[in-house]
């Protein structure tokens, strides 16, 4: 970015027009190159036209666009269906009455009637929107040849936007949006909303609209194809306490619980559609989406949201419905007749909305747990029967002849995936929804011979989780680059039918949600190392262009720091207090990030500060406080072990940071007159080994040091880098009565500094002096004072490597103090030893990494070369290589193998990375520690069975046949490896790789 001059101004002007995040731009506030003005100038009050026979969801979105123009220009547009005195648009849904437990009224609600129409005004009409085959206006334009939809018609959720002359009598020119289906039209409408300056998060994150008086269409035609992932959505889950408390404080309770009704869900449906998503799993914990309010299920259909239910809620029934209305056990092997009726009701209730339904099949145990009381083989048998029955119930309830035409999915969550490995066979038209490990690492993806299944595959991902080993559901701790890598990996392996992500309360996850949906909508546009670009463009859209590059960098830095360890899993011991400056470095990184984020906040206009606070500044402030508290607890225990007076000072600091944590929540609750009060009700301090959230925030264990009397070893103590030991005095960390400690070795190619601490463990102020034995050993401070009311002193040691008399040796530093009492009879004066090794490199080693202190540390991306494989393979011919993944991992960039759809390779057939290093130590062997991003064996393993997998075994288990072809290779009763030549998901003659 240019800071000054003409080039800088041009860059900012261009950036200010990037409003449709990653999408082709057709709207601009500048007239240059325009083909139609749609706001300002001759357009006083614009009108948007829809057909009388248009889908209600499209009409509702078009009404949103009329308000969006008002948000941007200050003048709301009008909506017309071309008829004078037209009644408000009404969605009529089919009633479902007098069934087991729930009565559905035929009365409409405010969410189903409206929006109101204005009388037609062709001269003011600037936008015409409609769905091909469901809009008399659009169909007439197609029939007359006025618009060309050949690239759009018949494609899932596609749309075209084109400027048309004389589209209707009295309208000289208008922007015509034609969708292949209702969601295609809706996305075309919201594409305009976003590009004129209304963020998809205008409500949920309070992003202020970008004000413009004049708006122009700058492109004659835009064609938007189908999304790269068919079903894209989120799961509102783990919603207690934050989301539920917020909902309960805004809306009246339903007959069954908090007010999760149409008023709430209309906000959810809108933000999904504005983010070009289409799929929802509703809240689960204390709600029953279809029952809490009779308007919820038809409202989803009216909005054109594809409704589903979670991995533990089959056939459109909320998990809590069974326990509420059916007292018998949730066990299909014991209660299948009742459960079948339960499923039938769900299908009957959802039948009117089947067009926008995606059916979850399968079954887990009660309360989202594994099925109990049965062995794996019995579970496999039961689930086979269950799913066959579920499909029969769906076909009968929907009155369809071909169940394979009804979209179904089976979420292979946790133990469910193992049932496939145990021989469960699933009809190929059911989408396999592979799950991650709850922490953002995909467990399994389709193998090459599974990619032809007609149902395809998808991924259930997590930005939030409740369960072992601990919950993480407070605020965002997700790393954008990790999401990019895992979802591109999924797409490359063919898992792109469904992407759904668990977002918990949703409110604190706007950034990763927006990123996830953009990836899903067009993962080709957002390539595997596009995160930096995405973050910058997201910042431009949400906060303006001035600080966009810096905010993008802050987003990525935050993701790296927060993802190192979820805040809920952070503990006092995680970062070392004595080695490599870990704890201090971590705190400094948070402090630097805080300073950078705060500086931008202070420079933003007042109207942009609330959204920036919610999505950028608050999580940084909150994360830094948690680190201060937890690492402060670790520092207290470290200091208390050294009997420092300052251990008590740290307790006071941690108490202060606890107060900061509480005040930050109060600041959040007061924001925008309390609009988001309760969203930070989630506890996040005090996990004690139990997975569930603590019932109250509590601080880590700390120790108070009694300071009434001096230490037996005197008033002044010395500690050194890399050790818990102290001198004067005895402790378990150094030899008895030994008053010498050593800092780690100092070498030309190692750390520039080492340090020792001088601290008080007495009752009076004491001066101290430090005297190195060699002039080339330099100290940051040679004397000072420590005492009960003064801070400890950290003294940094450096070496003057250019000194003519320097040599390899151990240099003592004497430390003296006149504060000597009775301790002088038991302990001598302390000494800090500095081991110095004078090393030099050969002249031919000009680039690479050099050993220091017995180790070499290299970040993965800093390789010298990629070495071709030693043996030829099919995948060598596909240009398998390594690429750098920017902003990936714990400290910088990572490196991984591409293409992402590469099959398993051996050491001989895989390329290698070469790193140059120089080792001084005379070792024939070296220990190599690799830090690898958490990743699972998504290409599967060879499963060894304890049973013949429905294959016949020969005598003694030596051989046999499988029904699908191939053989069973076993070793008697110990099991064997199944090899099949056909059947579901398998092919060829290779072993079965699960």
């Amino acid at each position: 970015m240019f800071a000054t001059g003409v080039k800088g101004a041009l860059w900012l002007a261009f950036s200010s027009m990037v409003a449709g995040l990653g999408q082709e731009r057709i709207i601009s506030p500048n007239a240059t190159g325009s083909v139609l003005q749609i706001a300002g100038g001759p357009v006083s009050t614009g009108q948007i036209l829809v057909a009388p026979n248009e889908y209600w969801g499209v009409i509702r979105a078009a009404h949103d666009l009329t308000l969006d123009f008002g948000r941007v220009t200050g003048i709301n547009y009008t909506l017309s269906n071309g008829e004078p005195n037209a009644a408000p648009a009404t969605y009529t849904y089919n009633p479902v009455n007098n069934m087991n437990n729930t009565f559905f009224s035929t009365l409409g609600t405010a969410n189903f009637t409206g929006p109101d129409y204005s009388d037609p005004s062709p001269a003011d009409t600037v936008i015409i929107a409609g769905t091909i085959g469901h809009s008399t206006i659009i169909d007439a334009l197609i029939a007359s040849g006025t618009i060309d939809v050949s690239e759009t018609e018949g494609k899932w959720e596609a749309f075209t936007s084109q400027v048309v002359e004389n589209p209707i009598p009295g309208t000289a020119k208008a922007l015509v949006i034609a969708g292949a289906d209702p969601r295609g039209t809706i996305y075309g409408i919201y594409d305009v909303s976003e590009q004129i300056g209304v963020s998809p998060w205008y409500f949920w994150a309070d992003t202020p609209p970008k004000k413009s008086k004049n708006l122009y269409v700058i492109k004659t035609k835009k064609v938007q194809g189908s999304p790269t992932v068919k079903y894209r959505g989120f799961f509102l889950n783990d919603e207690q306490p934050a989301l539920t408390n917020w909902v309960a404080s805004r809306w009246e309770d339903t007959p069954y619980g908090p007010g999760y009704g149409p008023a709430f869900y209309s906000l959810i449906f809108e933000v999904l559609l504005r983010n070009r998503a289409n799929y929802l799993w509703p809240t689960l914990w204390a709600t029953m989406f279809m029952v809490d309010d009779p308007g919820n299920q038809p409202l989803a259909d009216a909005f054109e949201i594809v409704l589903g239910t979670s991995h533990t809620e089959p056939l459109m029934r909320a998990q809590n419905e069974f326990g509420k209305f059916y007292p018998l056990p949730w066990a299909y092997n014991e209660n299948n007749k009742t459960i079948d009726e339960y499923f039938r009701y769900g299908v009957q209730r959802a039948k009117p909305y089947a067009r926008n339904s995606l059916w979850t099949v399968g079954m887990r145990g009660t309360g989202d747990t594994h099925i109990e009381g049965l062995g794996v083989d019995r579970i496999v048998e039961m689930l086979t029967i269950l799913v066959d029955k579920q499909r029969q119930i769906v076909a009968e309830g929907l009155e369809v002849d071909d169940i394979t035409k009804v979209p179904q999915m089976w979420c292979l969550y946790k133990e469910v995936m193992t049932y496939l490995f145990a021989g469960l066979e699933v009809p190929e038209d059911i989408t396999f929804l592979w799950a991650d490990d709850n922490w953002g690492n995909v467990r399994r993806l389709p193998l090459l011979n599974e990619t032809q299944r007609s149902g395809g595959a998808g991924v259930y991902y997590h930005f939030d989780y409740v369960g072992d080993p601990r919950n993480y559901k407070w605020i965002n701790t997700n790393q954008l680059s990790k999401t990019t890598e895992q979802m591109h990996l999924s797409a490359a392996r063919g898992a792109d039918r469904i992407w759904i992500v668990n977002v918990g309360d949703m409110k604190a996850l706007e950034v990763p949600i927006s990123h996830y949906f953009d990836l899903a909508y067009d993962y080709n546009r957002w390539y595997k190392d596009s995160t930096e670009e995405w973050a910058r463009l997201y910042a431009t859209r949400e906060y303006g262009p001035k600080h966009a590059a810096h905010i993008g960098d802050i987003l990525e830095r935050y993701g790296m720091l927060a993802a190192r360890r979820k805040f809920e899993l952070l503990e006092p011991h995680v970062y070392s207090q004595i080695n490599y400056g870990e704890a201090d470095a971590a705190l400094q990184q948070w402090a630097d990030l805080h300073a950078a984020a705060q500086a931008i906040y202070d420079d933003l206009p007042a109207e942009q500060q609330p959204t920036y606070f919610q999505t950028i500044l608050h999580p940084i402030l909150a994360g830094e406080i948690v680190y201060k508290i937890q690492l402060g607890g670790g520092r207290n225990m470290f200091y208390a072990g050294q009997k420092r007076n300052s251990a008590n000072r740290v307790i006071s600091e941690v108490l202060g940071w606890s107060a900061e944590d509480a005040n930050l929540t109060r600041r959040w609750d007061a924001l925008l007159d309390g609009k988001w009060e309760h969203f930070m009700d989630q506890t996040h301090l005090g996990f004690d080994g139990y997975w569930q959230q603590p019932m109250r925030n509590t601080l880590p264990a700390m120790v108070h040091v009694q300071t009434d009397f001096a230490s037996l070893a005197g008033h002044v103590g010395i500690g050194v880098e890399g050790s818990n030991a102290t001198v004067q005095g005895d402790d378990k960390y150094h030899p008895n009565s030994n008053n010498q400690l050593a800092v780690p070795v100092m070498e030309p190619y190692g750390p520039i500094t080492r340090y020792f601490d001088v601290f008080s463990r007495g009752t009076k102020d004491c001066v101290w002096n430090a005297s190195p034995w060699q002039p080339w050993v330099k100290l940051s401070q040679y004397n000072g004072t420590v005492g009960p009311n003064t801070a400890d002193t950290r003294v940094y040691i450096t070496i003057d490597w250019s000194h003519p008399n320097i040599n390899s040796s151990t240099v003592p530093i004497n430390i003296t103090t006149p504060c000597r009492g009775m301790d002088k009879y038991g302990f001598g004066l302390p000494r800090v030893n500095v081991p110095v090794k004078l090393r030099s490199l050969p002249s031919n080693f000009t680039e690479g990494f050099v050993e220091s202190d017995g180790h070499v540390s290299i970040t993965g991306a800093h390789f010298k070369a990629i070495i071709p494989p030693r043996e030829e393979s099919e995948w060598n011919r596909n240009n398998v290589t390594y690429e750098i993944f920017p902003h990936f991992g714990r400290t910088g960039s990572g490196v991984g193998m591409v293409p992402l759809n590469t099959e398993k390779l051996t050491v001989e057939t895989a390329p290698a990375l070469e790193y140059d290093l120089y080792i001084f130590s005379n070792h024939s062997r070296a220990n190599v520690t690799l830090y690898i991003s958490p990743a699972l064996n998504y290409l599967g393993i060879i499963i060894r069975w304890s049973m013949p997998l429905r294959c016949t075994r020969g005598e003694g288990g030596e051989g046999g046949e499988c029904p699908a072809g191939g053989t069973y290779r076993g070793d008697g009763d110990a099991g064997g490896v199944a090899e099949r030549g056909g059947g579901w998901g398998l092919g060829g003659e290779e072993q079965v790789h699960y």
Side-chain angles (χ1 to χ4, degrees), residues 37-45 69 73 75 77 212-216:
Q37 187 168 6
I38 56 174
V43 183
S44 56
T45 301
F69 272 103
T73 68
I75 301 173
Y77 282 17
S212 298
K213 290 297 182 184
N214 298 295
L215 294 167
Y216 303 88

Side-chain angles (χ1 to χ4, degrees), residues 336-412:
N336 57 2
K337 183 177 180 181
T338 301
I339 293 174
D340 283 346
E341 287 302 314
Y342 174 80
F343 290 150
R344 287 191 183 93
Y345 175 78
V347 176
Q348 184 181 355
R349 184 173 61 190
K351 181 180 178 182
Y353 323 111
R355 180 175 63 88
N356 284 320
S357 296
L358 176 54
W359 299 85
T360 298
V361 300
M363 187 176 188
R364 289 195 82 209
T366 303
D368 195 15
T369 62
H370 65 276
I371 297 171
E372 297 180 345
L374 297 174
V376 172
D377 54 338
R378 290 289 307 281
I379 292 174
V380 168
E381 182 180 1
M382 182 188 75
L383 289 177
T384 301
I385 296 169
L386 167 72
V387 172
D388 285 345
K389 189 65 175 180
Q390 286 176 334
R391 286 160 64 82
Q392 178 185 336
I393 290 171
V394 171
E396 292 173 351
L398 299 184
E399 300 180 79
V400 296
D401 296 328
D402 187 357
I403 187 60
T404 67
K405 303 301 183 185
V406 178
Q408 307 150 70
M409 74 84 186
W410 195 344
C411 185
L412 308 175

Side-chain angles (χ1 to χ4, degrees), residues 764-784:
K764 61 182 182 180
D765 290 346
C766 296
V767 297
W768 58 269
N769 289 273
S771 304
W773 286 24
Q774 293 291 347
W776 37 267
V777 174
K778 306 293 186 181
L779 304 182
S780 62
Q781 188 171 336
Y782 291 87
N783 53 67

Side-chain angles (χ1 to χ4, degrees), residues 162-357:
Q162 48 195 300
V163 174
V164 176
E165 295 185 359
N166 302 312
I168 59 172
T171 300
K173 189 183 291 188
L175 177 66
V176 176
I177 301 169
D181 53 28
R183 275 190 300 278
T185 312
I186 290 169
Y187 296 151
I189 290 169
Y190 283 141
D191 185 52
V192 174
S193 289
E194 188 176 357
Q195 292 198 40
I196 66 175
V198 178
S199 166
W201 299 100
Y202 78 95
F203 174 82
W204 283 102
D206 302 294
T207 308
K210 310 298 187 294
K211 301 296 185 181
S212 298
K213 290 297 182 184
N214 298 295
L215 294 167
Y216 303 88
V217 181
I218 58 171
K219 190 174 178 63
T220 302
K221 185 175 182 179
K222 170 181 177 175
V223 177
Q224 179 65 51
S226 297
T228 48
V229 175
K230 186 170 186 178
Y231 297 104
R232 312 163 305 282
F234 59 50
F235 178 20
L236 291 174
N237 189 28
D238 311 329
E239 66 271 15
Q240 179 65 30
L243 181 60
T244 291
N245 292 357
W246 181 76
V247 167
S249 69
R250 292 177 65 96
W251 293 288
E252 292 185 6
D253 288 357
T254 72
Y256 301 106
Y260 284 103
F264 166 73
Y265 274 108
S266 63
L267 298 172
I268 294 297
F269 299 155
E270 182 185 340
V271 77
L272 282 168
L273 293 170
R274 282 184 182 265
N275 277 284
R276 296 179 286 274
N278 60 9
Y279 183 41
L280 175 71
W281 292 355
T283 54
L284 178 150
W285 276 26
T287 62
M288 296 176 287
F289 177 79
M290 299 82 171
V291 175
D292 288 336
D293 190 297
N296 283 344
Q297 193 166 10
L299 182 70
D301 182 67
F303 265 74
E304 300 297 333
I305 291 292
V306 178
L307 186 64
T309 44
S310 73
H311 55 280
T312 188
E313 300 175 298
L315 269 57
M316 294 296 174
R317 298 222 62 171
Q319 174 179 277
N320 292 318
E321 290 186 68
F322 194 85
K324 181 73 175 178
F325 304 120
Y326 297 80
L328 296 174
W330 177 251
Y332 198 70
N333 57 310
E334 300 177 23
N335 194 21
N336 57 2
K337 183 177 180 181
T338 301
I339 293 174
D340 283 346
E341 287 302 314
Y342 174 80
F343 290 150
R344 287 191 183 93
Y345 175 78
V347 176
Q348 184 181 355
R349 184 173 61 190
K351 181 180 178 182
Y353 323 111
R355 180 175 63 88
N356 284 320
S357 296

Side-chain angles (χ1 to χ4, degrees), residues 558-824:
Y558 171 79
M560 180 171 291
L561 297 186
R564 284 175 178 170
R565 182 170 287 218
K566 306 290 188 183
F567 297 132
E568 293 86 342
L569 277 75
L570 187 64
E571 293 181 329
H573 66 267
V574 169
Y575 290 87
S576 175
Q577 298 289 335
I578 60 174
N579 293 308
Y580 309 109
E582 269 194 358
D584 291 337
L587 290 172
Q588 188 61 53
Q589 287 173 327
W590 280 104
D592 292 344
L593 189 62
H594 174 178
Q598 185 68 50
I600 292 173
Y601 176 87
D602 294 340
D603 193 52
L604 287 173
E607 65 271 15
Q608 289 184 333
Q609 287 180 335
T611 184
Y612 183 84
F613 173 76
Q614 293 171 58
T615 54
I616 304 293
L617 185 59
H618 174 271
I620 291 171
L621 297 177
E624 182 186 26
I625 290 171
V626 169
Y627 264 72
K628 285 180 175 180
I629 289 172
Q630 296 289 7
L631 273 59
R635 187 181 303 114
N636 163 264
M637 298 296 281
F638 170 51
Y639 286 1
Q642 295 185 322
K643 316 310 177 191
R644 300 193 193 193
N645 291 355
S646 52
N648 299 343
R649 188 179 304 122
V650 175
I651 295 177
S652 298
E653 292 172 350
V654 171
L655 289 171
W657 295 325
S658 177
E660 281 189 38
D661 177 78
N663 288 333
L664 186 61
T665 298
R666 292 188 181 97
R667 179 180 174 183
W668 177 280
D669 287 347
L671 185 71
L672 299 172
D673 297 323
K675 178 179 178 180
W676 302 117
E677 185 177 4
H678 295 298
F679 262 107
M680 288 300 129
D681 285 359
Q682 179 63 58
T683 53
H684 46 276
L685 296 166
F687 284 82
D688 58 3
Y690 179 51
W691 61 269
Q692 184 55 287
Q693 62 198 6
M695 292 298 104
R696 199 173 194 182
N697 285 328
T698 54
L699 300 180
M702 291 181 285
V703 172
H704 183 271
V705 175
Q706 188 188 74
T707 57
D708 301 79
F709 308 99
S711 162
L712 294 178
H715 292 272
V716 177
I718 306 297
V720 298
E721 177 180 350
S723 174
N724 289 294
T726 63
V727 290
Q728 308 169 141
D730 293 331
D731 56 48
K732 63 182 179 180
Y733 301 105
H734 72 293
N736 189 33
S737 300
N738 187 327
N739 286 318
Q740 299 186 35
L741 298 177
V743 298
V745 67
M746 300 197 73
E747 301 174 290
Y749 305 103
I752 296 173
T753 65
R754 299 295 190 182
Y755 68 81
F756 62 89
D757 287 343
V758 185
F759 48 84
S760 173
R761 47 189 184 186
T763 58
K764 61 182 182 180
D765 290 346
C766 296
V767 297
W768 58 269
N769 289 273
S771 304
W773 286 24
Q774 293 291 347
W776 37 267
V777 174
K778 306 293 186 181
L779 304 182
S780 62
Q781 188 171 336
Y782 291 87
N783 53 67
T785 301
V786 293
N789 299 309
T790 58
D792 300 345
T793 302
R794 176 156 293 180
V795 180
Y796 290 95
I797 307 167
T798 56
I799 303 297
D800 180 4
W801 299 105
S802 63
H803 195 282
N805 297 325
I806 191 172
N807 58 76
S808 294
S809 59
T810 296
V811 180
I813 301 174
N814 289 340
I815 300 171
T816 60
T817 177
C819 285
R820 297 279 281 174
M822 300 301 180
D823 58 283
K824 67 184 179 181

Side-chain angles (χ1 to χ4, degrees), residues 749 839-846 848-851 918-920:
Y749 305 103
R839 298 186 185 277
S840 60
L841 292 171
S843 59
N844 61 353
F845 189 83
T846 58
F849 296 85
V850 181
E851 175 197 347
Y918 191 91
I919 298 176
F920 295 107

Side-chain angles (χ1 to χ4, degrees), residues 481-508:
S481 56
K482 173 72 172 182
T483 304
T484 302
E485 182 264 341
Q486 286 288 287
M487 301 321 297
H488 268 281
L489 176 65
S490 301
R493 302 294 312 181
D496 59 1
R497 182 68 57 89
I498 303 169
W499 284 4
I500 189 160
V501 58
N502 187 328
V503 297
D505 299 313
M506 192 196 77
K507 179 66 189 81

